[in-house]
Amino acid sequence: MKKKLLIIIGLLVIGLLSWMGYSSVQKLDQKNKSEAIVQNLNSLTNNLGLKVLNHNQPTIFMYFNSDCHFCQWEMKEIGKNIDKFQTYQLLLASFEPKRDALDFLQQYNLSQYYVEVNPDLLTSTIIGGVPQTFIYQNGTLQKHFKGEVKIEAILEVLE
C-alpha cells in the first residue's frame, strides 16, 4: 500500500514539475515574441492593427490605464508640456474600454492622441504592467521605459 502511495505521489510531483516547466517555457516564448515585435514600429503597429501612421516621424507610444496613479501623473505632465511634443507622433493606447480611456485623456487634453486597439492584442503584445513608453526614431525602438518616466527623459531620447 505504501509503495503504491509513493508511486502516485511521485507521478504527481513529476506531472506538476512538467507542467511548471512547460508553463515557464511558454511565458518565456511569449516574452521573446513580444520583445521582437516592439523593436520595430511597423511590426508593433501591424500587430496591433494600427494603419494610419507615419513610420518615419519620431514616435512615442504609451501604454496606460486610467486607474494607474503613475499613468495619471505622466498624462498630467504631458498635457502641461504638450507643446514640446508637437514634432513627434504621440500614440496613447489602453486595454480599458474606449469611453473610459477617452474620458481620462480628456482631463489632460490628450484625447486626440488616443489610438483604439483590441485589448487582447495589446495585452498579448506588450507584456507587463502600465505605464510603458516606447520611443521610436526612423521606425526603430530607441528606448523602452517601464513604469513612470519624466518628460525630460523622453525628450532627451528624441533630441
Side-chain angles (χ1 to χ4, degrees), residues 82 86 88 90-93 105 109-115:
I82 196 63
Q86 293 305 314
Y88 309 116
L90 182 60
L91 307 172
L92 307 174
L105 292 173
N109 296 315
L110 298 173
S111 56
Q112 67 270 27
Y113 303 105
Y114 176 75
V115 290

Side-chain angles (χ1 to χ4, degrees), residues 4-64:
K4 287 183 182 181
L5 185 59
L6 285 174
I7 291 172
I8 291 172
I9 290 173
L11 290 174
L12 287 174
V13 168
I14 290 170
L16 180 62
L17 290 174
S18 297
W19 176 78
M20 289 173 57
Y22 177 76
S23 294
S24 296
V25 168
Q26 291 295 95
K27 287 180 184 179
L28 184 59
D29 186 45
Q30 179 63 28
K31 183 180 178 188
N32 289 338
K33 285 179 184 176
S34 171
E35 288 176 0
I37 290 169
V38 300
Q39 291 301 311
N40 182 286
L41 181 61
N42 193 40
S43 66
L44 175 67
T45 57
N46 285 342
N47 198 65
L48 296 177
L50 300 175
K51 302 288 184 223
V52 287
L53 298 172
N54 181 349
H55 292 279
N56 297 319
Q57 184 178 13
T59 302
I60 304 161
F61 182 92
M62 299 181 84
Y63 175 43
F64 74 93

Side-chain angles (χ1 to χ4, degrees), residues 15 34 78 81-82 103-104 113 149 151:
S34 171
I78 290 172
N81 295 285
I82 196 63
D103 288 346
F104 168 69
Y113 303 105
V149 60
I151 303 310

